[in-house]
Amino acid sequence: MAGSGTLVTFALPEVGIQGQYWYFLAPEYGANISAGIGYFRRVTPPIRTRLGAEDFKRTVSSWKVRIGGDRFAKLTNKLQFFAGPGIQLWGGKVKDEYAVSGTAESPSTTRWALDGRIGAHILMGENFGLIGSLGQYWGYASVKEGAAETKWLPSGSQGEMGFSFSF
């Protein structure tokens, strides 16, 4: 199976790592940029193909860049809430591996999206804390392979959590 012949237009949950940088324009307003990579893997019991029953493994790899702004509300010296809009660029592809018939890889999918998020930042020390956010995106996605092209308007939820450091 040299080519997939299938354009993948669905989302799968991913786990990833990202870095985020805020530049504060004022104590309550911050502009930020974030970038990260994501990964998903699923191995299923044998499935039926034209060559018989065989094991199947699907992996998804992606990357994401977001530029946005947030409004901060300081509840205490150690707890802040934030919310704001952003623009996100996401890209990813799917790789299917069959035990007998080989490997198929989709072309890269690209998504531009507007997104919004709300989150909290809790200081645990002077320069260290925990941060988390929940958000929603609305976008435009496309994928093309040869003469086949698909475009659609995806939307979805996202969540992030991690550690924060200030320098």
Side-chain angles (χ1 to χ4, degrees):
M1 291 178 75
S4 69
T6 302
L7 299 179
V8 178
T9 61
F10 54 88
L12 296 168
E14 298 176 45
V15 65
I17 187 167
Q18 77 171 358
Q20 187 166 183
Y21 176 78
W22 265 296
Y23 177 78
F24 284 88
L25 307 165
E28 65 276 1
Y29 291 102
N32 74 359
I33 184 165
S34 62
I37 56 172
Y39 181 78
F40 169 82
R41 179 178 168 185
R42 178 177 65 200
V43 178
T44 64
I47 62 171
R48 189 107 175 106
T49 69
R50 67 182 187 282
L51 299 175
E54 58 181 314
D55 293 331
F56 172 72
K57 179 172 68 170
R58 170 166 282 165
T59 56
V60 177
S61 57
S62 69
W63 55 269
K64 177 173 76 168
V65 175
R66 180 189 188 271
I67 297 173
D70 292 306
R71 170 81 160 92
F72 282 79
K74 189 175 187 177
L75 275 88
T76 70
N77 286 340
K78 297 202 179 262
L79 177 61
Q80 300 176 37
F81 287 107
F82 61 90
I87 297 172
Q88 146 192 142
L89 174 61
W90 178 94
K93 62 183 173 179
V94 174
K95 182 178 180 182
D96 291 338
E97 297 177 57
Y98 298 90
V100 177
S101 56
T103 300
E105 191 169 311
S106 74
S108 292
T109 299
T110 304
R111 178 182 73 221
W112 286 93
L114 295 174
D115 77 2
R117 65 182 185 177
I118 186 167
H121 181 236
I122 302 168
L123 285 174
M124 305 300 282
E126 188 175 327
N127 297 322
F128 173 77
L130 301 173
I131 191 166
S133 67
L134 295 173
Q136 180 75 29
Y137 67 83
W138 303 270
Y140 171 82
S142 63
V143 62
K144 185 175 183 177
E145 182 177 36
E149 183 175 11
T150 301
K151 299 175 186 176
W152 67 103
L153 301 173
S155 66
S157 300
Q158 54 197 13
E160 301 157 342
M161 60 184 281
F163 304 103
S164 68
F165 305 94
S166 64
F167 303 102

